[in-house]
Amino acid sequence: MLVKELKEKLNLTSLTNGGDEKEVTGGYCGDLLSWVMSRATEGDCWFTVMGNINAVAVAVLTDCACIVLTENAPLDENAKQRAGLEGVSILKSEKNAYELASELSRLI
C-alpha cells in the first residue's frame, strides 16, 4: 500500500508534501529516537509524537515510508522544512499509536 492510500484509509492529515508514492510494508511505534533508529526498517509507517528535526533524520536513516504524528502532536517548522527537502511524508492523527497500529495491521 502506498502512503497516499494509507492517508486515505486511516483518515490522516498531510503536514508535508512529497513521499506519498513510497510503499508502506510495516509499522513501528516509538518515541525514543535512538531506539527507533536501530529498529525501524525500510517501508515502516512510524507512529510517534516526535515532531522535530531529529525525527526527520531518523526517518531518512531508516528509510521509513512515512511519519505519523499521533495524538495531534505538533510538527516543528524546522522539521517541516527539512522533511520537504528530504521527501519525508509526515502525517498526523488525533488517534494514539495503538489505535493506528491496529488499523494498519488490518490493512497490510
Side-chain angles (χ1 to χ4, degrees):
M1 165 185 327
L2 299 178
V3 170
K4 65 182 179 182
E5 296 168 324
L6 180 73
K7 176 186 162 189
E8 181 182 311
K9 291 179 187 283
L10 295 185
N11 195 29
L12 304 172
T13 303
S14 288
L15 300 177
T16 60
N17 295 323
D20 286 350
E21 297 297 322
K22 288 188 175 181
E23 186 173 355
V24 177
T25 57
Y28 195 84
C29 300
D31 299 317
L32 184 59
L33 298 179
S34 60
W35 192 269
V36 175
M37 188 168 50
S38 66
R39 288 168 174 79
T41 59
E42 179 182 351
D44 279 350
C45 173
W46 174 23
F47 301 108
T48 184
V49 294
M50 300 300 293
N52 60 40
I53 197 165
N54 294 327
V56 174
V58 169
V60 170
L61 286 171
T62 60
D63 202 19
C64 285
C66 60
I67 298 173
V68 177
L69 296 177
T70 61
E71 302 181 61
N72 283 325
L75 177 63
D76 293 352
E77 187 58 37
N78 289 341
K80 182 177 182 176
Q81 291 175 3
R82 188 59 179 202
L85 291 172
E86 298 287 349
V88 175
S89 179
I90 302 180
L91 310 152
K92 87 171 183 179
S93 175
E94 62 187 25
K95 295 178 183 178
N96 66 37
Y98 173 79
E99 294 169 309
L100 292 164
S102 295
E103 290 179 32
L104 175 63
S105 177
R106 284 190 287 276
L107 295 172
I108 58 173

